[in-house]
Amino acid sequence: MAQDTAQQAPAPATPARALLPLILPALVVGVGASLLLVGVSVAAEELQHLLWRNLPDALGVGRYSVLWMLVMLTATGVAVGLVVWKAPGHAGPEPATMGLDAPVLPLAVLPGLLLATALMLAGGPSLGPENPIIAVNVALAFWLGRRLLPRMPRGLWPALAEAATIGALFGTPVAAALVISEALAGRQLRGALWDNVFGPLLAAAAGALTTTLVAHPSFDLHLPPIGRPGWGDLLAALVIASAAALLGMAAVLAFPYVHGAFVRLRHPMVALPVGGLVLGLLAAVGGHLTLFKGLDEIGELAADPEGWSAGEFATMTVVKLAALLVAASCGFRGGRIFPAVFVGVAFGLCAHALVDAVHPAVAVSAGVLGTLLAITRQGWVSLFTAAVLVSSPTILALLCMASLPAWLLVTGRPQMQLREDGTPIH
């Protein structure tokens, strides 16, 4: 009995002197990761304005005419395909195999990966910057950290860079803390949990604060406040989150088949232009709001929830989900979180348009929750993102309840990430 008690005793906490050396590296990595993210985002936005405003205006073509969307998305496929074909390292590994936990890439790969990401963000495919930017920051932090502070553990630098980039992406270290705690679950930890997240959380805070000071991001959609939730709100959240999870799972299950179809095209200069053309055709159906990563576009949707019919919201939901599926399958470098948020917002607003009694904040947050659970399998990040979009603390209890049936629908099933042989990860 005494032996069992000794074995169950918690590990001693890490002394403060062991944590103090982490402070400066965490701050430097946090600031650097944020500045790289902001730099790539600003460059992509400037290029986007040139391609989608200045150039069509100069040519006398409608900015978001069907013709221009087809031309621009196909041309984006050609440009990214050229980078993937000719750049050292082919602009990184196959994006369908990558998640938020990026491998340490060789430095020679990074310029091509950054260029392919910026071109993608500017050109209109439905992907976000998270996966490639995390990969670049991880590689840079690892390379610089190993040379400047070789005595630090090798695993420290990827952990700091991932947390810093997630904090910078969301403008708050809370998202990074949730991802870290979820990643640490089930691991044999040395010391207390807070000792293990000390450095990454500091890096995330530095990244988030830098982004806030430089770029002033905001995820609040400024929807009408919900006030005190009732039983009808709970029922709506349960139904919408579960339905959104099922819709997201449809794309997840189709992912290996769509990816396989593009793989059979064999060459990036074929697969990416064909993917761009398909994305242009989808945009012709769904409209210009279904282009790009989706964060600016969800603000436009939420600014006028009554401005579109249920059918129009449904069309945008399906088109955006299909565009995410195609863009992630054909080789564009990017992440899936932000376009999945658009899908959830459009799905929630469709539910509100169908049943006016459903509060738009409940509908949107539940739709985002279910979609993200299916696409990312990141439970805490899904909850956090859904809640922060509506800035309502009272909605957290509803979302926690709604996450349970939605999670039962997605857990244990294939993820929207493939192994190197093209088989889905469960």
Side-chain angles (χ1 to χ4, degrees):
M1 178 68 72
Q3 185 178 2
D4 292 342
T5 304
Q7 290 176 349
Q8 295 173 5
T14 305
R17 65 177 179 275
L19 299 178
L20 287 174
L22 300 177
I23 293 177
L24 182 58
L27 291 174
V28 172
V29 171
V31 173
S34 172
L35 291 178
L36 188 140
L37 169 66
V38 171
V40 172
S41 299
V42 170
E45 287 174 5
E46 292 298 322
L47 181 57
Q48 178 183 330
H49 292 161
L50 173 64
L51 296 176
W52 291 93
R53 294 183 184 180
N54 300 349
L55 189 55
D57 288 351
L59 296 174
V61 180
R63 292 180 178 180
Y64 294 107
S65 64
V66 171
L67 174 61
W68 192 248
M69 290 191 291
L70 287 171
V71 168
M72 281 309 309
L73 284 158
T74 305
T76 300
V78 172
V80 176
L82 187 62
V83 174
V84 173
W85 180 26
K86 292 296 187 181
H90 304 290
E94 166 63 57
T97 65
M98 292 186 65
L100 294 179
D101 51 341
V104 179
L105 301 175
L107 290 182
V109 176
L110 305 188
L113 180 55
L114 285 173
L115 179 58
T117 302
L119 291 171
M120 180 278 299
L121 291 172
S126 294
L127 293 173
E130 60 271 20
N131 289 8
I133 296 299
I134 288 175
V136 172
N137 280 330
V138 164
L140 289 175
F142 184 83
W143 184 79
L144 290 172
R146 292 297 295 165
R147 279 153 182 77
L148 299 178
L149 295 172
R151 294 184 179 181
M152 288 290 187
R154 294 172 63 90
L156 172 67
W157 305 108
L160 293 180
E162 288 178 11
T165 311
I166 294 171
L169 280 163
F170 288 93
T172 170
V174 176
L178 295 175
V179 172
I180 296 165
S181 62
E182 198 162 5
L184 292 176
R187 294 187 186 179
Q188 191 70 29
L189 301 180
R190 297 180 60 186
L193 174 64
W194 206 250
D195 294 333
N196 287 271
V197 303
F198 180 85
L201 185 59
L202 181 56
L209 184 58
T210 303
T211 301
T212 300
L213 293 174
V214 174
H216 313 291
S218 176
F219 287 87
D220 185 6
L221 296 180
H222 303 290
L223 291 167
I226 182 176
R228 183 177 180 179
W231 292 109
D233 296 317
L234 175 59
L235 177 61
L238 291 169
V239 172
I240 294 171
S242 298
L246 288 174
L247 180 64
M249 279 306 303
V252 172
L253 294 174
F255 186 45
Y257 301 100
V258 178
H259 178 264
F262 281 105
V263 167
R264 283 191 286 274
L265 297 178
R266 296 185 179 276
H267 200 284
M269 285 301 291
V270 179
L272 280 157
V274 169
L277 176 61
V278 174
L279 292 174
L281 294 171
L282 288 170
V285 176
H288 73 278
L289 290 179
T290 59
L291 295 171
F292 307 108
K293 64 183 179 182
L295 281 188
D296 293 334
E297 289 72 21
I298 61 173
E300 190 169 341
L301 289 181
D304 187 15
E306 316 300 331
W308 290 269
S309 67
E312 289 171 321
F313 280 127
T315 299
M316 286 189 281
T317 300
V318 174
V319 166
K320 187 68 172 182
L321 188 60
L324 166 59
L325 179 60
V326 171
S329 299
C330 69
F332 284 110
R333 272 49 182 169
R336 309 170 189 100
I337 291 178
F338 294 130
V341 169
F342 180 99
V343 173
V345 170
F347 185 86
L349 291 175
C350 177
H352 168 69
L354 285 171
V355 183
D356 187 62
V358 175
H359 195 285
V362 173
V364 164
S365 57
V368 170
L369 172 65
T371 306
L372 284 179
L373 284 175
I375 299 297
T376 69
R377 302 301 157 82
Q378 297 277 348
W380 286 120
V381 169
S382 301
L383 272 169
F384 167 80
T385 306
V388 79
L389 288 174
V390 299
S391 295
S392 173
T394 60
I395 211 166
L396 275 172
L398 293 179
L399 294 179
C400 287
M401 292 294 291
S403 69
L404 302 179
W407 182 253
L408 291 176
L409 292 170
V410 303
T411 186
R413 290 173 172 80
Q415 300 182 29
M416 202 171 189
Q417 185 177 347
L418 304 178
R419 298 184 179 90
E420 292 184 3
D421 62 1
T423 58
I425 297 174
H426 285 73

